[in-house]
């Protein structure tokens, strides 16, 4: 009976957390008293919920309440100049895991451009399908790599294409590995700030034998609007340090390999 009781309590807590996120979608900032009234629980319960949700990266705490987490991230051009050492280390580890591969898909993002540059330096005679102009540019430095770039609607901030034409193009291929970045990682899986981008990542992952996620630790416990996979669908996560807490538990329970870049 104790186990059932615990499950019931956890279920109610998860339901409250989902409701709080939904309420913040309607009104970006709410006070504890407002949430307590809307959810018919005590202010103390709401405060505990908000503290837990902040730890998981689901919301931002404010004085006396909470606000919706910012769903935007810097443009890919800005991100290229951030956490460069970490991204280069992640790229080295990722490329080493791909030796012997002949067909890849690579998603957009700053970390995936680092990975593509490393692939161009260390691998030969492979075909890479991508939707990012930055990825295509660095791969083209190696004349033995055949680069196929998808058609679609150009997103200037991401330097990549998306849309129905992109999805249809990607669906016609099957590859050994798909390598993707993420705006945020939570126990629910990787997510992206761009809903259009997440659609492309989900398609790429579905057309691959194995999926690799590259993300530095600043992405840990950040939740963004568009989740494109659950952890059982991800074969390998590479970061410069290993996550802890609920995120680490979710990755481990899913059987996702966790590689730490040095």
């Amino acid at each position: 009976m104790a186990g059932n009781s615990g499950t019931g309590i956890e279920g109610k807590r998860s339901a409250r957390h989902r409701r709080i996120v939904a309420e913040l979608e309607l009104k970006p900032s709410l006070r504890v008293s407002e949430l307590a009234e809307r959810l018919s629980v005590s202010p103390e319960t709401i405060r505990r919920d908000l503290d837990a949700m902040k730890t998981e990266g689901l919301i931002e705490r404010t004085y006396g309440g909470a606000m919706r987490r910012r769903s935007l991230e810097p443009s890919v051009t800005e991100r290229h100049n951030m956490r460069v050492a970490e991204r280069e280390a992640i790229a080295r580890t990722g490329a080493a895991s791909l030796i012997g591969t002949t067909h890849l898909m690579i998603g957009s993002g700053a970390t995936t451009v680092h990975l593509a540059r490393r692939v161009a330096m260390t691998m030969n005679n492979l075909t890479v399908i991508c939707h990012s102009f930055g990825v295509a540019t660095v791969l083209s430095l190696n004349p033995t790599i055949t680069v196929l770039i998808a058609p679609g609607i150009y997103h200037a901030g991401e330097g990549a294409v998306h849309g129905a034409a992109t999805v249809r193009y990607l669906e016609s291929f099957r590859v050994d590995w798909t390598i993707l970045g993420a705006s945020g990682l939570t126990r629910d899986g990787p997510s992206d700030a761009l809903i259009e981008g997440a659609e492309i990542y989900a398609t790429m992952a579905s057309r691959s034998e194995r999926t690799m996620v590259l993300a530095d630790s600043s992405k840990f416990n950040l939740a963004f609007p568009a989740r494109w996979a659950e952890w059982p669908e991800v074969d390998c996560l590479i970061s410069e340090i290993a996550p802890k807490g609920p995120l680490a538990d979710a990755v481990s329970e899913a059987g996702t390999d966790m590689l730490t870049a040095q």
Side-chain angles (χ1 to χ4, degrees), residues 28-107:
S29 179
L30 286 166
R31 298 186 62 79
V32 167
S33 57
E34 292 178 280
L35 286 167
E37 182 177 353
R38 294 184 187 201
L39 274 67
S40 300
V41 295
S42 69
E44 290 74 18
T45 296
I46 291 296
R47 289 190 187 96
R48 288 193 297 268
D49 285 341
L50 296 183
D51 289 341
M53 293 173 72
K54 180 181 184 299
T55 300
E56 294 176 21
L58 298 175
I59 61 163
E60 297 285 359
R61 276 298 248 133
T62 62
Y63 181 75
M67 64 183 292
R68 185 170 57 202
R69 175 169 283 283
R70 182 174 64 91
S71 62
L72 300 176
E73 63 176 352
S75 70
V76 71
T77 302
E78 295 175 277
R79 301 200 309 271
H80 278 306
N81 298 316
M82 300 164 62
R83 300 180 69 85
V84 174
E86 292 89 340
R87 285 178 166 141
E88 288 181 346
I90 291 167
R92 284 195 299 270
T93 301
S97 302
L98 299 172
I99 297 300
T101 300
T102 58
H103 293 82
L104 303 174
M105 285 187 184
I106 302 179

Side-chain angles (χ1 to χ4, degrees), residues 191-235:
S191 60
D192 202 79
L194 293 174
I195 294 173
E196 303 93 332
E199 182 182 26
I200 302 305
Y201 304 153
T203 302
M204 284 183 156
S206 74
R207 303 307 300 163
S208 177
E209 295 297 325
R210 290 172 288 181
T211 298
M212 175 188 295
V213 173
L214 311 178
D216 67 78
S217 59
S218 69
K219 310 296 181 66
F220 293 175
N221 302 312
L222 293 183
F224 284 83
R227 187 187 68 185
W228 51 264
E230 297 180 349
W231 287 115
E233 300 169 284
V234 176
D235 296 276

Side-chain angles (χ1 to χ4, degrees), residues 108-237:
S108 62
T111 308
T112 52
V113 169
H114 281 284
L115 181 281
R117 184 179 294 112
R118 178 60 56 170
V119 165
M121 292 169 57
T122 61
M123 299 176 67
N124 292 307
N125 303 314
L126 68 153
T127 298
V128 182
I129 300 138
C130 62
H131 68 122
S132 160
F133 286 84
V135 168
T137 298
V138 296
L139 287 172
S140 68
L141 299 175
N142 183 332
T144 76
I145 298 177
T146 299
V147 181
L148 304 179
I149 188 160
I153 302 167
Y154 183 65
H155 189 289
E158 193 63 15
V161 296
H162 61 82
T166 314
V167 170
R168 284 197 299 270
Y169 182 81
L170 295 171
E171 286 177 338
S172 63
F173 295 96
R174 189 77 186 175
V175 298
D176 306 315
W177 275 101
T178 283
I179 302 96
L180 300 167
S183 300
L185 305 176
T186 68
R187 63 184 181 184
D188 293 327
S191 60
D192 202 79
L194 293 174
I195 294 173
E196 303 93 332
E199 182 182 26
I200 302 305
Y201 304 153
T203 302
M204 284 183 156
S206 74
R207 303 307 300 163
S208 177
E209 295 297 325
R210 290 172 288 181
T211 298
M212 175 188 295
V213 173
L214 311 178
D216 67 78
S217 59
S218 69
K219 310 296 181 66
F220 293 175
N221 302 312
L222 293 183
F224 284 83
R227 187 187 68 185
W228 51 264
E230 297 180 349
W231 287 115
E233 300 169 284
V234 176
D235 296 276
C236 178
L237 169 63

